[in-house]
Amino acid sequence: EGTILSIKCQHALGDVYEGASVAVNGTCLTVTSWRLQDGSRSAGEFTVNLSPETLRRTNLGDVSDGSRVNLERAAGMNARNSGHNVQGHVDGTGTIMSKEREGESLWVQISAPPEVMRYVVPKGYMAVDGTSLTVCKVDYKQGWFNLMLVAHTQTKVVLPHREIGDRVNLEVDVLAKYAETGMASLQQRVADLEAVVHGKREPAPGEENGEMIAITKQLGTAMTKLGTVNKHGQGLKVPLPDRGEAATLRVAIVHTCWHEELIGLMVSTCADRLVEQGVEPSNIDTAVCPGSYELPFVTKRVIEEGTYDVVVCVGILLKGGTIHMEVIADAVTNQLMSMQMNSGVPIIFGVLTVLKIEQAVERAESALPASWADSALTMALHKKAPRTQRHFK
């Protein structure tokens, strides 16, 4: 059961044949019969069949006697492509929201369903009733896009004659659909790997392979068993002073101001760990500087003015849109390294270098700040006298 559509035209029937493809409002249809106008090679009348599915998916069910439609013959393999690849496979229908003139050009705003909007991008292609057009502005939240028709295009297509509320056929760029299909399996694989690496689930059979191990190492995690990830700062085993020795040590913590809540958490965790290991609270001092760039100067002045056994530097360098973080991190690291070698006072590097603030939160809430305290204590011991032992008993 179907519908027969008869169409009169002036130019579309040149070299037509039974079974030829003609796009009607961007819908690829098959010519079932035709009759040329007397004396003409391209003008005449032809018929196509419309299936129930075609009527559901397109706006061809809206046409009536005398309605104007766009017509386009299939392009030859040797023809120029002055647009994008339009297949005539309608993805859905949109609705004309508004039309507005700007000089000789015409702005048209069209709403579209989510299954179409996902493929719409500014300056990308969209076939509207079979006309290849360039998308201008897109509003994904409200579900619409607009485009502009120049004066010449307005004389060749039916879109300028549509009224507000009329339906139009929409076909997205097929390359977008191919790209989505190609990426689907990769996106799922990446999601599965991230879930295992971050301990959200155990690896499935077949995932215990070199790829998982390589990704785990790249992320800087240590795994005692595949899928079990060590937290930041856990597992540090260094020589620590006894409580009597720890009580004599003086420690300075120099920290930055940016991301105050996270910095405060890390400083408190480090200081609490020092006290837990025997350092007297009165022997722990802090100094504040604006940012990581100023850390070396303040650290130098603290070492010059104080009698500290070790200094812990705490800060956060967050990656932005430039190489600013890399430049500062490299300069600060070099300055602090040179300073501890020249002054003879060990400096613990507690400056986080992260790509996003969530990484800083994860590290601030981990065992990492406590590990800085343990590092400070063992380095203070080495400052007094290198703690060596015979390797072979």
Side-chain angles (χ1 to χ4, degrees), residues 58-337:
T58 72
N59 66 358
L60 294 180
D62 300 340
V63 300
S64 57
D65 292 346
S67 295
R68 302 178 65 177
V69 293
N70 288 334
L71 298 178
E72 184 177 11
R73 294 289 300 277
M77 296 300 293
N78 62 341
R80 292 182 182 276
N81 186 351
S82 298
H84 75 289
N85 292 323
V86 180
Q87 298 178 300
H89 301 162
V90 175
D91 294 299
T93 59
T95 303
I96 303 294
M97 297 177 64
S98 67
K99 298 193 298 181
E100 182 179 347
R101 291 209 167 271
E102 183 177 337
E104 294 184 339
S105 297
L106 177 66
W107 284 103
V108 181
Q109 183 178 345
I110 301 172
S111 65
E115 59 268 24
V116 172
M117 287 300 302
R118 65 191 296 178
Y119 302 109
V120 184
V121 294
K123 306 307 177 187
Y125 289 118
M126 174 63 74
V128 181
D129 279 340
T131 307
S132 175
L133 298 169
T134 302
V135 174
C136 295
K137 185 177 180 180
V138 181
D139 189 321
Y140 296 104
K141 186 175 181 180
Q142 297 187 19
W144 61 262
F145 63 92
N146 67 4
L147 41 84
M148 176 176 277
L149 302 179
V150 298
H152 175 77
T153 302
Q154 294 176 52
T155 66
K156 302 296 182 181
V157 301
V158 300
L159 187 55
H161 305 284
R162 298 288 193 207
E163 301 295 336
I164 306 301
D166 283 355
R167 291 198 305 159
V168 292
N169 291 334
L170 301 176
E171 180 185 335
V172 303
D173 190 349
V174 68
L175 295 180
K177 293 189 283 187
Y178 281 133
E180 181 184 57
T181 300
M183 288 294 294
S185 59
L186 178 60
Q187 289 173 329
Q188 185 58 53
R189 182 160 184 78
V190 170
D192 290 342
L193 291 172
E194 287 183 340
V196 173
V197 168
H198 293 293
K200 295 181 180 178
R201 72 168 176 83
E202 292 295 321
E207 288 182 336
E208 298 89 346
N209 53 31
E211 181 181 32
M212 177 64 70
I213 296 173
I215 291 176
T216 299
K217 289 182 178 179
Q218 185 68 28
L219 291 174
T221 59
M223 302 179 76
T224 56
K225 179 181 178 183
L226 193 63
T228 304
V229 184
N230 286 343
K231 298 299 183 181
H232 303 288
Q234 286 185 350
L236 179 64
K237 296 181 180 180
V238 292
L240 295 173
D242 58 36
R243 298 192 68 82
E245 289 177 305
T248 66
L249 298 178
R250 298 197 67 222
V251 182
I253 302 176
V254 182
H255 64 86
T256 60
C257 291
W258 292 108
H259 310 290
E260 180 180 8
E261 184 175 344
L262 294 179
I263 292 294
L265 174 61
M266 292 190 289
V267 170
S268 295
T269 301
C270 182
D272 289 344
R273 177 66 172 178
L274 290 171
V275 173
E276 180 185 326
Q277 295 288 46
V279 178
E280 292 291 337
S282 59
N283 284 344
I284 303 173
D285 297 330
T286 59
V288 182
C289 61
S292 296
Y293 178 81
E294 292 79 22
L295 270 174
F297 179 84
V298 177
T299 301
K300 182 174 183 294
R301 294 294 296 129
V302 166
I303 291 174
E304 289 174 345
E305 296 295 324
T307 55
Y308 297 103
D309 296 289
V310 63
V311 177
V312 181
C313 291
V314 179
I316 297 174
L317 280 170
L318 181 61
K319 174 67 176 175
T322 68
I323 61 171
H324 177 79
M325 181 191 77
E326 289 88 341
V327 171
I328 298 299
D330 183 64
V332 170
T333 302
N334 288 334
Q335 285 293 321
L336 294 179
M337 178 65 72

Side-chain angles (χ1 to χ4, degrees), residues 262-263 265-266 269 352 359-369:
L262 294 179
I263 292 294
L265 174 61
M266 292 190 289
T269 301
L352 304 181
Q359 292 175 325
V361 172
E362 180 184 352
R363 285 155 178 78
E365 294 176 348
S366 72
L368 190 59

Side-chain angles (χ1 to χ4, degrees), residues 2-78:
T3 301
I4 297 177
L5 183 65
S6 298
I7 303 171
K8 291 182 179 180
C9 62
Q10 295 297 317
H11 306 291
L13 296 181
D15 298 324
V16 73
Y17 55 91
E18 185 177 344
S21 292
V22 177
V24 180
N25 278 354
T27 307
C28 182
L29 299 173
T30 301
V31 174
T32 56
S33 66
W34 78 98
R35 180 175 61 83
L36 292 176
Q37 185 176 308
D38 292 343
S40 176
R41 294 184 177 181
S42 60
E45 182 177 340
F46 69 96
T47 61
V48 293
N49 289 342
L50 303 179
S51 69
E53 176 67 6
T54 300
L55 293 173
R56 283 191 294 267
R57 300 278 296 186
T58 72
N59 66 358
L60 294 180
D62 300 340
V63 300
S64 57
D65 292 346
S67 295
R68 302 178 65 177
V69 293
N70 288 334
L71 298 178
E72 184 177 11
R73 294 289 300 277
M77 296 300 293
N78 62 341

